[in-house]
Amino acid sequence: KERPVIEGDAGKIAGEIVRWQNKLLSEIEQEDVDVYVFLHKEAKKRGVVDNRVFRFVFRSFYRLDSAGLGPQLKEKFFSLLYEKQQDLEYILRTLYRVPDLRGRNTIQFSFATKLLHTLDVKSPIYDSRVARITRLHFSGPTPEQRVQSCLKIYKQLGLIHVSLLANPGVKEVIAKFRTKFHAPSRHV
């Protein structure tokens, strides 16, 4: 069930990031960082729709192929990425109209946020891990209510994201991350 974000949530999350920073940094592989940076650089170029290497790496990195999306849904996803579409509501509604492998129309909130983040690293990503940490889960008996739930959650994630990036402890962890992985600041 959806719940409002409590003011201290971002501070609590920041505290956990700082507390677990050594474990977090040790579980990240240089290859993952390199792939992440590659995806962002390639997405800025025209032609990602026709770039089979980009599409393969993106699908692999974000596990699109194991999500049961089907070829038409993946094609629509990449066309939205190619168009540099940044309207979450439009993305959610557009992807909803394309059935998945089982023939169902589904809300693709996680993949929509990954599309947005690929175009703008300041945009937060929503996935099962983020849902678990924030306890924010989209819901609703109708597609319209689920879309509206996603939009509310995304707004809340944006506030958490900004708060985390402003936190001095998190800033230190990010600096350690960039140093360890030689990650450019504009990508991470």
Side-chain angles (χ1 to χ4, degrees):
K1 181 164 174 151
E2 195 176 314
R3 67 168 182 80
V5 173
I6 303 166
E7 177 126 349
D9 283 353
K12 192 183 232 181
I13 294 167
E16 292 298 302
I17 290 170
V18 171
R19 178 175 169 219
W20 294 99
Q21 65 182 295
N22 292 335
K23 182 171 175 42
L24 292 169
L25 292 173
S26 71
E27 291 182 1
I28 297 170
E29 300 289 332
Q30 182 67 51
E31 181 179 275
D32 293 327
V33 176
D34 294 344
V35 169
Y36 176 86
V37 171
F38 166 82
L39 289 172
H40 285 271
K41 284 181 179 177
E42 288 297 306
K44 291 191 184 324
K45 299 176 183 177
R46 291 296 279 170
V48 295
V49 163
D50 299 327
N51 185 334
R52 287 190 211 125
V53 173
F54 170 83
R55 290 172 68 141
F56 174 79
V57 173
F58 192 100
R59 289 189 341 258
S60 175
F61 188 74
Y62 285 119
R63 295 176 173 79
L64 264 71
D65 290 340
S66 61
L69 300 182
Q72 293 87 3
L73 195 49
K74 286 186 264 189
E75 191 61 40
K76 180 52 76 176
F77 176 88
F78 282 109
S79 72
L80 291 167
L81 183 61
Y82 174 73
E83 294 165 13
K84 300 191 184 312
Q85 179 55 247
Q86 294 185 307
D87 180 334
L88 177 59
E89 185 171 0
Y90 178 82
I91 294 166
L92 291 170
R93 291 181 190 288
T94 300
L95 294 176
Y96 181 80
R97 288 193 292 270
V98 182
D100 65 12
L101 272 178
R102 294 182 181 170
R104 298 174 304 156
N105 297 81
T106 55
I107 302 294
Q108 296 295 330
F109 185 36
S110 176
F111 291 128
T113 65
K114 290 167 183 165
L115 184 158
L116 292 171
H117 182 78
T118 301
L119 297 173
D120 179 4
V121 295
K122 295 176 185 166
S123 299
I125 288 178
Y126 178 87
D127 63 12
S128 60
R129 293 177 192 144
V130 171
R132 188 172 57 245
I133 290 167
T134 62
R135 297 187 317 266
L136 294 170
H137 303 276
F138 70 95
S139 62
T142 68
E144 177 61 31
Q145 289 171 325
R146 289 193 296 280
V147 166
Q148 292 307 313
S149 176
C150 291
L151 296 174
K152 282 175 65 176
I153 288 170
Y154 201 64
K155 185 175 181 180
Q156 293 173 317
L157 287 178
L159 296 173
I160 292 170
H161 185 85
V162 167
S163 181
L164 289 174
L165 292 177
N167 182 285
V170 173
K171 283 182 179 181
E172 282 185 38
V173 175
I174 291 170
K176 289 177 185 178
F177 173 89
R178 287 186 179 137
T179 300
K180 179 177 179 178
F181 296 106
H182 313 288
S185 61
R186 69 183 184 276
H187 292 295
V188 187

